[in-house]
Amino acid sequence: MAITSAAGLLATWEAGLTEAPPARALLLHRTARPDTDTGRLPQLPVGEREADLFALRRALFGERMQVRLGCLACGEDMEFELDAGELARSLGGREALADGAGGRGGPASGPGGPDGSAEAPGGSSGGLGAAVAHGLGGSVVRVQQDGWDVEFRLPGVADLAAAARTADPRGALLARCLVAAVRDGVAVGADDLPVPVQRRIAEAVEAADPGADLALNVACPECGAATRAELDIASYLWTELDAWARDVLLDVHLLATAYGWSEPEILALSPLRRRYYLELCADV
Ligand SMILES: [Zn+2]
């Protein structure tokens, strides 16, 4: 559970301003999970991080997310809504609570309490012969097929980033996250895994960590064509935080000018009171 103050959020925003997207995503993840060791966050399964960020988004700015997308076929501008709370829950995220932003859509409170679940729904049902176990080293899926017995760690953002820097990202990811592979009782390496077993591993990972590959399929109201898009919740949330932070700084500027209050004093006000005092200033 994260209680994030307006001052804390502003500090997060300031720290991320000069950073690249991966570092910003890490800052946001740290805000969502302040109780988890920062060094461990990049190792958490990718989908778990996405769920954490959706939960943070819900806590900060509410459930409704506006998404805009251009149709790939005809170029029509499409706009639709997503439910951050629903996504966080369905992806198995932990609920995050915050009172800092107050949200443009009012205080974020929705149906359903925090469920604290860190396990993805269906996480242990990756199909026949696949199981997922949550251990100290993260979550591990197990695939047993045709005499093969493979244990594979769910990739985190650190794994994806490291693999992306190699000439063969797929192979690198396989080697990085392979915990153990045994064929007919003999230990083998990642290079020895046949394609069907690799495919089974990919399926088991997807079933255990569904948020890792969150794709939207949107049908165009104009031409009917479907456009597939990936929603990058980290950059979506960063854009919102950036807009929020600049609004808050403007509020501080206006209130400090009008009343002579300090920044900490103004940030300590609830968003509602801040708004009210601003209206009074405007009326004068
Ligand atoms: Zn279209």
Side-chain angles (χ1 to χ4, degrees):
M1 184 191 295
I3 305 289
T4 307
S5 66
L9 275 179
L10 270 183
T12 299
W13 169 75
E14 190 180 359
L17 264 184
T18 54
E19 296 288 351
R24 288 177 175 174
L26 179 60
L27 282 166
L28 291 171
H29 201 189
R30 202 168 69 188
T31 305
R33 292 182 72 153
D35 51 338
T36 302
D37 181 35
T38 305
R40 221 174 76 74
L41 290 175
Q43 267 108 52
L44 292 177
V46 175
E48 196 175 319
R49 182 190 77 160
E50 301 298 274
D52 288 338
L53 293 181
F54 276 112
L56 178 65
R57 197 287 172 176
R58 172 179 180 268
L60 294 179
F61 301 117
E63 311 235 326
R64 315 306 308 172
M65 291 174 61
Q66 298 281 345
V67 181
R68 291 182 74 119
L69 194 63
C71 172
L72 284 182
C74 74
E76 174 77 6
D77 217 12
M78 300 185 285
E79 198 171 327
F80 56 97
E81 277 198 345
L82 291 176
D83 186 315
E86 203 174 282
L87 283 164
R89 277 188 295 276
S90 68
L91 301 178
R94 298 143 34 104
E95 293 286 333
L97 293 175
D99 63 2
R104 274 150 255 170
S109 66
D115 67 343
S117 164
E119 193 162 353
S124 55
S125 64
L128 214 87
V132 61
H134 296 265
L136 279 175
S139 305
V140 173
V141 289
R142 187 171 184 193
V143 169
Q144 290 169 300
Q145 178 176 302
D146 305 332
W148 290 87
D149 190 347
V150 181
E151 285 180 9
F152 193 80
R153 191 166 52 75
L154 297 179
V157 284
D159 299 307
L160 297 187
R165 285 193 293 267
T166 67
D168 173 21
R170 251 179 92 90
L173 194 64
L174 202 60
R176 263 183 84 87
C177 297
L178 185 69
V179 177
V182 172
R183 182 176 196 194
D184 298 327
V186 181
V188 294
D191 293 342
D192 302 317
L193 294 174
V195 171
V197 174
Q198 290 184 24
R199 202 174 296 135
R200 289 285 297 113
I201 293 171
E203 288 166 4
V205 166
E206 202 183 320
D209 195 29
D213 189 21
L214 187 66
L216 308 167
N217 249 323
V218 189
C220 174
E222 278 302 306
C223 74
T227 293
R228 193 176 186 278
E230 281 168 19
L231 179 68
D232 182 352
I233 180 60
S235 73
Y236 185 100
L237 186 49
W238 179 265
T239 303
E240 286 185 317
L241 180 69
D242 186 59
W244 170 86
R246 291 168 197 276
D247 282 352
V248 168
L249 291 183
L250 179 62
D251 290 358
V252 169
H253 164 71
L254 294 172
L255 292 175
T257 306
Y259 295 98
W261 295 335
S262 70
E263 186 195 60
E265 284 169 338
I266 294 166
L267 293 181
L269 294 171
S270 69
L272 196 68
R273 282 197 198 188
R274 223 159 46 214
R275 187 64 37 210
Y276 189 70
Y277 283 119
L278 282 167
E279 282 171 16
L280 288 175
C281 293
D283 288 345
V284 173

